[in-house]
Amino acid sequence: MSRPLLDSLLTKLKAASDLDSDDLRAIASLPIRTRHLDPHEFIVKEGDRTHECCLIADGFAFRSKATWQGQTQILSLHVPGEIPDLHSLHLELMDHDLKALSRCTLGFIPHAAIKSLNANRPRVAAALWRETLVDASIFREWMFNIGSRVGVTRMAHLLAELNRRLEVIGMAKNGVFDLPITQVELGECLGLTGVHVNRVLKQLRAEGLVRTSRSVFELLDIDLMEERGEFDPDYLHLPAFALS
Amino acid sequence: MSRPLLDSLLTKLKAASDLDSDDLRAIASLPIRTRHLDPHEFIVKEGDRTHECCLIADGFAFRSKATWQGQTQILSLHVPGEIPDLHSLHLELMDHDLKALSRCTLGFIPHAAIKSLNANRPRVAAALWRETLVDASIFREWMFNIGSRVGVTRMAHLLAELNRRLEVIGMAKNGVFDLPITQVELGECLGLTGVHVNRVLKQLRAEGLVRTSRSVFELLDIDLMEERGEFDPDYLHLPAFALS
DNA sequence: CGTGGATTTGAGAGAAATCAAATCATGTGG
DNA sequence: CCACATGATTTGATTTCTCTCAAATCCACG
């Protein structure tokens, strides 16, 4: 009766919000349909009206929008334990795309099930609401990052953020994490071109802050990298125990 | 027993979510403390832990962050009927500043009152949750705007958005609205310098799209301005009747 | 009528984009 | 196991967009 699909979500919710064992049990018994996706497969498209939310059990996903000329902006990166389209519960229309970044395993949960859970268990509703608020906080920080920092700093900030977020779920250790993302995609996160991302990474490498090989990133001095990116983890709203 | 302070909020919630008259009555009887603020007065500071939310009854407010070097990014502009710090209900720590843009009238509502309302009335909770989701959607669009469009387009997009948002609350008519914001502040919204904002506005004026005088903006051709800014209102998630 | 904030304009510097080509994998099929 | 095709990374040269610095003008207000 264990449901590994939901484990990462349960751990996270329990750490951030106060839920009793009935609440947790109720979440754990939500109906879930599992699906495997290939890199860059669409999960949901802009303009869609969905009737379920997707929980990332394994792998990475991202949200994005494209300009009329086809330039794309990545709005967020999502890691296991997150529900990147939780907002669809209350917003009818998708205002952006959601795609798999890497090969990944997703659990789809019907809106109806979550809604009835919310109606009966205000604490669960509050915990899920909180997740969407953390999301929004990260959007704000990304906007801030893109709007007011130069390329090198921007990249340092992103790497520092990813390191922290992956660390709390055990997917980064000592500044080392594996994220299958191309330089062009990094550019789409940061409002930079792929070419410029390359130069910016070269700069950070030259400063001795990072090593990259294939899809693994190795922050050689986490504190320095965070400093370089003017990174302050407050906006991630991590539970106290997860802070250095 | 009429409470004009809450009218704009009630109108908005009723239009977007389905609430019965008991729900509306319950909201209408929330305890509120009224306060008047001068332009640029702080409402809440980054790092604060608050115990109430603020409803804008009159005037404008904005949220912002500043880099370590003092560059500031405006994250959002808020108009009457909005609750710019509703997120504080579930996120302990403010991760940004909230300030008055113009002289304004605010209603402060204790967290405790909203929380008990949410616990007893799931529909009200959902309606408020939805408000924070629309907020997040606007953050995404701003990030997109800043990250992937050039200055002129970016400005056109912002003007088109403000026109729509003000129109639905009756504060813009035929493309004309009064917003007491400086060019430097517009720049802080868009990730541009004040000087560049001036040039970009000059360009839009030259294209015959806008006239400005003092704090009033006059969009001379709304459709063309929206086109110029690649503006599509979907992300505002306005109720159907508010769409052109 | 003077003062200070906001807007406007100019000139030059800097950051990032664009265009183009070379190099470096990685994975496939012979 | 090598040859080749494909996609990603790297580098160079040039252009474009935006910033910075500076000064002038405009305007509301006391």
Side-chain angles (χ1 to χ4, degrees):
Chain A
M1 170 85 217
S2 140
R3 308 237 287 169
L5 263 188
L6 278 160
D7 283 354
S8 48
L9 176 65
L10 286 167
T11 307
K12 188 168 56 149
L13 294 181
K14 198 165 42 179
S17 303
D18 95 292
L19 299 173
D20 63 30
S21 55
D22 281 354
D23 292 329
L24 295 171
R25 228 187 325 272
I27 299 171
S29 56
L30 280 167
I32 298 197
R33 179 175 65 85
T34 301
R35 240 181 93 201
H36 297 276
L37 283 95
D38 284 327
H40 298 101
E41 235 183 293
F42 271 102
I43 302 171
V44 196
K45 274 199 174 72
E46 181 168 353
D48 283 357
R49 288 163 203 278
T50 62
H51 300 91
E52 39 189 17
C53 289
C54 94
L55 166 67
I56 304 180
D58 191 53
F60 302 95
F62 68 94
R63 309 204 234 173
S64 64
K65 292 197 181 199
T67 63
W68 296 0
Q69 294 87 43
Q71 263 205 51
T72 103
Q73 171 73 44
I74 292 181
L75 303 164
S76 57
L77 295 174
H78 292 279
V79 305
E82 296 183 347
I83 306 177
D85 60 352
L86 190 48
H87 63 274
S88 65
L89 210 58
H90 297 300
L91 296 180
E92 324 59 46
L93 204 74
M94 279 294 289
D95 52 66
H96 58 270
D97 295 325
L98 173 58
K99 294 165 111 173
L101 177 65
S102 63
R103 181 174 309 283
C104 60
T105 305
L106 304 178
F108 288 85
I109 310 173
H111 281 176
I114 307 178
K115 281 185 171 166
S116 86
L117 192 58
N118 287 342
N120 298 321
R121 303 192 162 272
R123 278 189 307 268
V124 172
L128 293 177
W129 186 351
R130 186 181 193 279
E131 291 305 305
T132 66
L133 294 172
V134 172
D135 239 49
S137 177
I138 297 177
F139 292 144
R140 288 192 291 271
E141 186 70 20
W142 279 37
M143 185 198 309
F144 177 35
N145 200 30
I146 295 170
S148 35
R149 298 200 258 249
V150 295
V152 184
T153 314
R154 239 185 266 183
M155 174 65 79
H157 189 281
L158 177 59
L159 294 176
E161 174 187 308
L162 288 170
N163 180 56
R164 286 277 186 144
R165 288 172 60 192
L166 290 169
E167 196 170 47
V168 298
I169 58 172
M171 296 183 69
K173 295 212 165 56
N174 302 317
V176 182
F177 56 88
D178 190 329
L179 182 70
I181 190 171
T182 67
Q183 292 183 358
V184 169
E185 287 161 344
L186 283 171
E188 289 169 351
C189 293
L190 296 169
L192 300 174
T193 59
V195 172
H196 200 63
V197 162
N198 187 277
R199 295 192 227 267
V200 147
L201 277 175
K202 183 179 175 181
Q203 169 71 21
L204 288 176
R205 264 185 239 114
E207 293 181 20
L209 291 172
V210 67
R211 260 189 332 216
T212 65
S213 72
R214 204 84 344 259
S215 62
V216 353
F217 293 80
E218 188 177 350
L219 310 195
L220 300 172
D221 185 325
I222 300 178
D223 288 346
L224 275 182
M225 182 64 93
E226 295 190 341
E227 175 119 357
R228 189 70 172 83
E230 301 184 2
F231 177 85
D232 175 336
D234 283 355
Y235 73 93
L236 293 175
H237 297 279
L238 298 172
F241 72 82
L243 297 173
S244 57
Chain B
M1 167 88 215
S2 142
R3 310 237 286 167
L5 262 187
L6 277 160
D7 283 353
S8 48
L9 176 65
L10 286 168
T11 307
K12 187 167 59 149
L13 294 180
K14 198 165 41 179
S17 305
D18 95 292
L19 299 174
D20 64 28
S21 55
D22 280 355
D23 291 330
L24 295 171
R25 229 187 324 272
I27 298 170
S29 57
L30 280 167
I32 298 198
R33 178 175 64 86
T34 302
R35 240 182 93 201
H36 297 276
L37 282 96
D38 284 327
H40 298 100
E41 235 183 294
F42 272 102
I43 302 171
V44 196
K45 274 200 176 70
E46 181 167 352
D48 283 358
R49 289 162 202 278
T50 62
H51 299 90
E52 38 188 18
C53 289
C54 94
L55 165 67
I56 305 182
D58 190 55
F60 303 95
F62 67 96
R63 311 203 234 174
S64 65
K65 292 197 181 201
T67 63
W68 296 0
Q69 294 87 43
Q71 264 205 50
T72 103
Q73 171 73 42
I74 292 181
L75 304 165
S76 56
L77 295 175
H78 293 280
V79 305
E82 296 183 346
I83 305 177
D85 60 350
L86 190 48
H87 63 274
S88 65
L89 209 58
H90 297 299
L91 296 179
E92 323 59 46
L93 206 72
M94 278 295 287
D95 52 66
H96 58 270
D97 296 325
L98 172 58
K99 295 165 112 172
L101 177 64
S102 62
R103 180 176 309 283
C104 60
T105 305
L106 304 178
F108 287 85
I109 310 173
H111 281 176
I114 307 178
K115 280 184 173 168
S116 85
L117 192 57
N118 287 343
N120 298 321
R121 304 193 161 271
R123 278 189 307 267
V124 172
L128 293 177
W129 186 350
R130 185 180 193 281
E131 291 305 305
T132 66
L133 293 173
V134 172
D135 239 48
S137 177
I138 297 176
F139 292 145
R140 288 192 290 270
E141 186 70 21
W142 279 38
M143 184 197 311
F144 177 34
N145 199 32
I146 295 170
S148 35
R149 297 200 258 248
V150 296
V152 184
T153 314
R154 238 185 267 181
M155 174 65 78
H157 189 282
L158 177 59
L159 293 177
E161 174 186 308
L162 288 171
N163 180 56
R164 287 276 185 145
R165 289 172 60 193
L166 290 170
E167 196 169 49
V168 298
I169 57 171
M171 295 182 71
K173 296 213 164 53
N174 302 318
V176 182
F177 55 89
D178 190 330
L179 183 70
I181 191 172
T182 67
Q183 293 185 357
V184 169
E185 287 161 345
L186 282 171
E188 289 170 352
C189 292
L190 296 168
L192 300 173
T193 59
V195 172
H196 201 62
V197 162
N198 187 276
R199 295 192 228 266
V200 147
L201 278 175
K202 183 178 174 180
Q203 169 71 22
L204 289 176
R205 263 185 240 115
E207 294 181 21
L209 291 172
V210 67
R211 261 191 329 216
T212 64
S213 73
R214 210 78 345 258
S215 63
V216 352
F217 294 79
E218 187 177 351
L219 310 195
L220 300 174
D221 185 325
I222 300 178
D223 288 346
L224 275 182
M225 181 65 92
E226 295 190 342
E227 175 119 358
R228 190 68 173 83
E230 301 185 3
F231 177 85
D232 175 335
D234 283 356
Y235 74 94
L236 293 175
H237 298 279
L238 297 173
F241 74 81
L243 296 173
S244 59

